[in-house]
């Protein structure tokens, strides 16, 4: 599978992502909608509305809570998670690929708005099915709930279509994820060398292979893909969001604001993560934490985002300050 993904990315480029992603997304969303309709209709004895209502009423109250507990640390953690999931992907290179691949700014704008609405709409389907899994799946329902429900409620043919479309989406996501760092390496790093500048296509393909090798090594170093996704979004949030927004909506005065925002944001995030891992017990209850422990329990993403903003502001102030020699003159 890794070699197949690598081949698609090296040979196909953006066409291996854009066109195939569109077709596979339609197939996956269609099968997911059919699965949700079949499941909730059976749960409601023939009525879709009754099935959704029954699921909501029989779900425990603590599973239906959107907002966190009342103490401050829980609210900060919730806010950090919300910011990471909402804004962490904005400066991502994969999003920029799709924007710049559009034929006009209007198409790019409308596509992003439409995709956001579809993302929220179809994202609610797995959430509702996850809440209902405790009612229909025996035993522990913490595993792959959607696949288990597809095997239980789909016909063999529809189950095959669902699994194939799901695997296709994963493969396409992997190709776009490899294109992002390889494009940055080829255009921002190796292009400064005359050896690689004369061979742009070969450089692009070599960077794709190198990104695949590094990504595979990182993947084998962890246990859950979700942890890597959270880390990637947090890095984008603390290092790239502030200079990204400053470049679009502010008046940057050179490279210093952006560089300081990246260094301060990522540095604070790394230090805070290491400090929490080193000094905090793994079974610490935030509700009974001491004052020192409470400071270390602050979400590293929130701390890094604030530090990035401070670094950007400091860079703006330094850039507009006159040189020391000018004051003597």
């Amino acid at each position: 599978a890794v070699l197949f993904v690598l081949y698609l990315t090296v040979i196909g480029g953006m066409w291996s992502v854009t066109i195939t992603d569109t077709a596979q997304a339609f197939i996956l969303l269609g099968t997911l909608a059919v699965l949700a309709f079949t499941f909730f209709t059976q749960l409601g004895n023939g009525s879709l509305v009754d099935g959704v209502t029954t699921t909501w009423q029989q779900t425990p109250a603590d599973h239906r809570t959107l907002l966190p507990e009342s103490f401050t640390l829980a609210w900060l953690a919730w806010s950090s998670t919300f910011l990471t999931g909402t804004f962490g992907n904005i400066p991502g290179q994969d999003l920029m690929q799709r924007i710049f691949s559009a034929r006009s700014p209007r198409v790019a704008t409308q596509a992003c708005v439409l995709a956001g609405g579809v993302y929220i709409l179809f994202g609610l389907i797995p959430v509702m099915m996850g809440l209902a899994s405790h009612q229909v799946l025996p035993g522990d329902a913490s595993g792959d709930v959607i696949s288990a429900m597809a095997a239980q409620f789909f016909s063999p043919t529809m189950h095959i279509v669902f699994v194939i479309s799901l695997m296709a989406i994963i493969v396409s996501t992997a190709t776009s994820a490899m294109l992002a760092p390889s494009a940055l390496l080829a255009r921002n790093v190796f292009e400064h060398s005359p050896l690689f500048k004369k061979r742009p296509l070969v450089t692009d393909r070599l960077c794709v292979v190198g990104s695949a090798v590094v990504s595979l090594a990182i993947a084998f170093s962890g246990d859950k893909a979700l942890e890597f996704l959270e880390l990637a979004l947090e890095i984008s949030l603390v290092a790239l969001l502030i200079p990204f927004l400053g470049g679009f909506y502010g008046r940057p005065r050179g490279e210093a604001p952006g560089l300081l925002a990246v260094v301060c944001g990522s540095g604070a995030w790394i230090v805070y993560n290491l400090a929490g891992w080193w000094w905090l017990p793994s079974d610490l209850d935030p509700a009974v934490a001491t004052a020192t422990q409470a400071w270390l329990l602050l979400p590293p993403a929130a701390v890094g985002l604030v530090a990035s903003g401070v670094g950007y502001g400091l860079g703006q102030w330094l850039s507009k300050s006159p040189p020391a020699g000018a004051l003597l003159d």
Side-chain angles (χ1 to χ4, degrees):
V2 174
L3 293 177
F4 179 67
V5 172
L6 182 59
Y7 173 78
L8 280 180
T9 311
V10 170
I11 300 301
M14 274 305 298
W15 282 109
S16 70
V17 178
T18 306
I19 302 300
T20 53
D21 267 8
T22 303
Q24 292 157 4
F26 272 111
I27 296 174
L28 180 61
L29 294 178
T31 53
L32 189 61
V34 172
L35 175 60
F37 178 81
T38 303
F39 168 71
F40 287 114
T41 300
Q42 293 187 17
L43 197 63
N45 296 322
S47 173
L48 176 64
V49 177
D50 290 344
V52 175
T53 304
T54 302
T55 298
W56 187 255
Q57 292 175 348
Q58 296 184 4
T59 300
D62 57 335
H63 290 176
R64 294 182 299 179
T65 301
L66 179 61
L67 300 178
E69 296 85 351
S70 58
F71 59 92
T72 305
L73 287 175
W75 273 95
L76 286 174
W78 182 89
S79 302
S80 176
T81 303
F82 178 79
L83 288 174
T84 302
T86 306
F87 298 104
N89 200 37
I90 289 180
Q93 182 69 12
D94 51 346
L95 181 62
M96 296 300 104
Q97 288 172 342
R98 284 155 176 77
I99 292 176
F100 292 129
S101 296
R103 66 187 180 200
S104 67
R106 181 181 179 184
V107 172
T109 302
Q110 293 176 346
C112 288
V113 174
L114 177 61
V118 173
Y119 186 87
I120 295 174
L121 178 62
F122 281 90
L124 292 175
I125 296 178
V127 173
M128 290 297 296
M129 297 181 68
L131 293 176
S133 63
H134 298 279
Q135 306 172 32
V136 297
L137 295 180
D140 185 15
S142 60
D144 196 346
V145 174
I146 302 298
S147 296
M149 288 188 173
Q152 182 172 345
F153 292 96
F154 267 163
S155 64
T157 302
M158 284 298 299
H159 189 207
I160 292 174
V161 172
F162 176 79
V163 172
I164 292 177
S165 60
L166 182 61
M167 292 301 299
I169 286 290
I170 294 174
V171 171
S172 293
T173 304
T175 59
S176 62
M178 284 193 297
L179 280 173
S182 63
L184 289 175
L185 287 173
R187 293 292 167 259
N188 295 353
V189 178
F190 292 107
E191 194 177 42
H192 297 285
S193 172
L195 177 63
F196 293 103
K197 191 173 184 179
K198 295 178 181 179
R199 302 169 179 83
L201 183 58
V202 175
T203 303
D204 289 340
R205 291 177 172 175
L206 288 176
C207 288
V208 170
V209 175
S211 299
V213 173
V214 175
S215 301
L216 189 62
I218 295 175
F220 278 113
S221 66
D223 297 326
K224 297 180 180 179
L226 184 59
E227 295 177 356
F228 289 118
L229 177 61
E230 292 174 349
L231 287 175
L233 292 178
E234 285 189 4
I235 292 172
S236 297
L237 179 71
V238 302
L240 302 179
L241 181 64
I242 296 298
F244 179 85
L245 295 178
F248 268 95
Y249 301 106
R251 294 182 178 179
R253 302 178 176 91
E255 296 180 353
L259 293 176
L260 281 175
V262 172
V263 172
C264 293
S266 57
W269 179 78
I270 293 173
V271 170
Y272 227 79
N273 270 303
L274 292 177
W277 173 76
W278 184 264
W279 279 300
L280 291 180
S282 58
D283 56 348
L284 176 65
D285 185 2
V288 296
T290 64
T292 304
Q293 291 173 335
W295 278 105
L296 293 177
L297 282 172
L298 292 175
V303 175
L305 183 62
V306 173
S308 180
V310 172
Y312 186 84
L314 179 62
Q316 289 282 70
W317 180 76
L318 292 176
S319 298
K320 72 177 181 180
S321 299
L327 296 176
L328 297 178
D329 295 338

